[in-house]
Amino acid sequence: QVNLVESGGGLVQAGGSLRLSCAASGGFITYAAGWFRQAPGEEREFVAAISWTGGITRYADSVKGRFIISRDNAKNMAYLQMNSLKPEDTAFYYCAADLAVDSIVGGIPDYWGPGTQVTVSS
C-alpha cells in the first residue's frame, strides 16, 4: 500500500510558477510516480510521470517544456515544478503511483492522493 498526500497548490498569476509536492509512504521508493489534473467539466488528464530511479520522465504535450517532475527518494517525496503557468493549467492536481510507468502514462495508476487545487489567473 502506497499513501500519497499533495501540497503546494494555490493561486498564481499567468506566467508565474508553483511547485507541487507529494509526500509518500508505503514503499514509494520502488514505485513510479506521476501527476494528473482535472478541470471542472473536463476529463482527468495525464501530466507527468517519473520512474522510481528518476532516470525516465514522461510529459503530456501540453506541459512539455514548462513543467518538470522530480523526486527525492531519501525524503519519500515527488514534485511537480510548474513554470510559465497559463490559465488553462487551472485544475485539481493529483499525485499518483504505480509499479509501472506505463500504467501512469495510460491513466490507470494503482494509487492516488486526494489532490490539491491550482488556479492560474489571467
Side-chain angles (χ1 to χ4, degrees), residues 40-116:
E42 300 183 9
E43 295 183 353
R44 185 179 59 211
E45 176 189 19
F46 165 76
V47 175
I50 187 169
S51 62
W52 77 272
T53 64
I56 300 172
T57 57
R58 299 285 185 267
Y59 296 94
D61 288 342
S62 59
V63 306
K64 193 172 298 182
R66 299 189 297 120
F67 291 10
I68 301 172
I69 188 170
S70 62
R71 66 192 299 161
D72 185 342
N73 288 340
K75 300 182 184 297
N76 292 322
M77 298 287 290
Y79 306 96
L80 185 68
Q81 178 67 46
M82 304 183 294
N83 301 314
S84 301
L85 283 162
K86 306 174 181 179
E88 51 262 46
D89 294 317
T90 295
F92 208 73
Y93 283 70
Y94 299 89
C95 180
D98 199 284
L99 287 172
V101 172
D102 286 348
S103 292
I104 297 177
V105 176
I108 52 171
D110 284 339
Y111 304 101
W112 296 88
T116 186

Side-chain angles (χ1 to χ4, degrees), residues 7-40:
S7 63
L11 175 65
V12 64
Q13 293 184 4
S17 298
L18 283 175
R19 188 177 77 160
L20 303 183
S21 298
C22 177
S25 63
F28 177 71
I29 189 172
T30 64
Y31 280 71
W35 292 90
F36 292 79
R37 65 187 183 186
Q38 186 169 25

